[in-house]
Amino acid sequence: MICNIIDRRTRPYRWREVNAILEATSHDNACEDADLQPATDDDLTYDQRENITLAEAIAWASSESSAVTLYLYDKGAGTT
């Protein structure tokens, strides 16, 4: 379940190939002015996919059973 989307693309109109990262939304609790999400044992810690469409990134994040923050990056950026 997507709780938040952080778009870090410098080319925001590129949607055919993006890199995406999922982290538990509870990781955002330390950020200033964040809505708080309780951590659970079922939280996804981290996952990433490269060179997927924006629609695939959103569908992937939406399919998670735990609360996640979806980070979007340009192709070739954001992931290791």
Side-chain angles (χ1 to χ4, degrees):
M1 160 183 63
I2 299 174
C3 285
N4 204 357
I5 298 174
I6 308 298
D7 190 350
R8 294 196 171 145
R9 295 175 293 162
T10 60
R11 303 173 79 187
Y13 296 102
R14 293 291 181 116
W15 51 267
R16 284 191 182 140
E17 290 182 297
V18 300
N19 289 349
I21 293 175
L22 295 183
E23 289 189 12
T25 301
S26 60
H27 292 179
D28 303 342
N29 289 347
C31 297
E32 186 176 331
D33 199 36
D35 289 331
L36 300 181
Q37 174 66 34
T40 69
D41 291 338
D42 296 328
D43 279 353
L44 172 100
T45 302
Y46 177 93
D47 202 359
Q48 69 180 35
R49 293 195 180 169
E50 296 179 327
N51 307 327
I52 61 174
T53 67
L54 180 60
E56 290 170 330
I58 292 170
W60 171 51
S62 295
S63 72
E64 287 296 320
S65 59
S66 61
V68 296
T69 297
L70 170 62
Y71 294 86
L72 298 171
Y73 294 90
D74 295 313
K75 176 182 176 181
T79 59
T80 56

